[in-house]
Amino acid sequence: MSAASSPVAGTSTGMRPSTARPVGRAAQLGYGLGDLASNLTWTTLTAFLLFFYTDVAGLAAATAGTILLLGRVADAVVDPVVGLAVDHTRSRFGRARPYVIFAAPLLAVAFVLAFTPVGTGTTAALWAGFTFVLVGISHSLVNVPYGAMLPMLTSDNDTRLKMSGYRFVGASLGLIAVSLAVMPLVTTLGGGNLAHGFPGMAIVFGVVGTLLYWVVAALCKEQVAPLEAQPKAAVGQALKALFHNRHWLGVCLASVLAFVRLGVITAGAVYYARDVLDNSWATSYILLSFSLSALVGSLLTPWILRRTGKRRGIVIGLIATAALYLALFPLHDDPVAFLALFLVANLLGGFGLVAAPALVSDAIDHHEGVTGRRDEGLLYAGYSFATKVGTALGSALFAWALAWGGYRAHHVTAQASHSIEWAFVGIPLVLCLVQAAVMGLYKLDSSTPAPAA
C-alpha cells in the first residue's frame, strides 16, 4: 500500500524524520527470530497440551477443553494491560525491548511448569488451570511488546510487509521444529515415560526460546518519538478509540477466526493421525505439512499481496482453502493425497496470518491520523488478545468434539473417530468462509492491485 493510499502519509508515524533510519537486513531477518522463539512454546502448547492433559495428566477431555478456553480468556485480559504499559514505558532499552529481555526467562519457567504433571483428579485439574494461566500471562509479557515493535522499527509499508514475512518464516521454522522434535525429545528424555519426557522437552525449548528473544532485542532498535511528542489519553478514552477503528476491528476479528482454525488443526493433529489415518507417526507429517505450507506461504505472501492488494488476496485464498478442505473429506484412506492437498489448502489460507502484523501496523497509522496518538502497545495487544482467544477456542472446540464423540484415551470408538474427522476438517472449512466475510471491515488497502515491480 502506497503512502498516498494510507490515511497517514509520509512520516506521520510517531518517528521524527531527522532521526528515522532505514532498517538493516540483519534487523529485518532478526525480527523474525522472535516468532521462532514464540512458536517453540506457543505451538507446542496448542499442539500437545490437550494430549498431555488427556493422556498424561489423566484429565477428562471436556475438563481439559474448558481449562484451555477459560484459562486463555483469563490471561488474555492481561494483553491490554501489557500494551498500555508498553505505551507508557521509557527506558534506555526503549519501550518494548525491556519486556522482551527480562520476561523471556519467566516464560521459559512457566512453560516447563505447564508440562509438569502434579497429582490426580481435582489436584491435577487445578494445577493445570494455574500453570496454563501462568504461561499465558508470561507469553503476554514477551509477545505483546515484541509484536508492538514492528511499527516502532519502520514506517515503510513494503519493509513492514517484508518483516511480517520474515516473522512468519520464523513462525514456520518454529512449527517445523515442533513437528519434528517434540515427540522424539519427549521419548528420549523421558526414556519412554511421558510424564518425565514432557518436562525435559519443555526445558530444552524454554532455554532455546529465551536465547532467541535476546538476539531479537540485540538486533532490533526502536525509533520512537519522545513521550512528550504524543498527546496523552485516559485509559478509558484510549480503549474507546479502539472500537471506532473499523480497520483494526476487522484485522482482530479475522485473526480470532484464523487462530480458531489454527487451534483446531494443531490440537487435533495427534488425534486425527492416530484415530482417523490409523498412523500415530502421521502426527509429525500433518504438522510438518502445515509447517511447510506456512514456510512457503511466508515467502510468497508479500509478493502475491503486493499484486492483488492485501484484502483481495487474503479473501481469494480463504475461499480457495474452503473448497480444498471440502475435498479432504474422502481422502482419509489416502494419507499421501490428504497431506498434499492439506499443504496447498493451508498455504492459500495462510495469507492473512502472514500479513496480519503489517495490517495491524497500517491500522496503527490510521489510528494516529484520527486520534493523534499511535498507541502501538494497546492496538497490538488487541491483536494478541484475538490470537490467544482464537487459539484457545479452537483447542476447546476440538476437545468438546472429543467429548461429544465419547472419546476415551484407551478405547477410541468409531463414533469418536468420526467426530475427530468432522472437527478437524469441517470446522476449519466453515471458519475460512466466515473469515473472508469479516475481512470486509478492513479498508486500508488499494481497491486495485499494485503494479508489478
Side-chain angles (χ1 to χ4, degrees), residues 224-238:
V224 298
L227 184 60
E228 61 271 17
Q230 296 193 23
K232 299 178 182 179
V235 172
Q237 181 184 352

Side-chain angles (χ1 to χ4, degrees), residues 119-145:
T120 60
T122 301
T123 301
L126 291 174
W127 174 255
F130 167 72
T131 55
F132 187 60
V133 171
L134 182 64
V135 76
I137 293 173
S138 302
H139 190 269
S140 294
L141 289 171
V142 182
N143 202 55
V144 170

Side-chain angles (χ1 to χ4, degrees), residues 62 66 117 148 152 205 219 231 237 267 274-275 277 292 345 377 396 419 447:
T66 302
M152 299 178 189
F205 276 15
L219 292 176
Q237 181 184 352
R274 186 186 63 186
D275 302 321
L277 298 180
L292 290 175
S419 67
S447 59

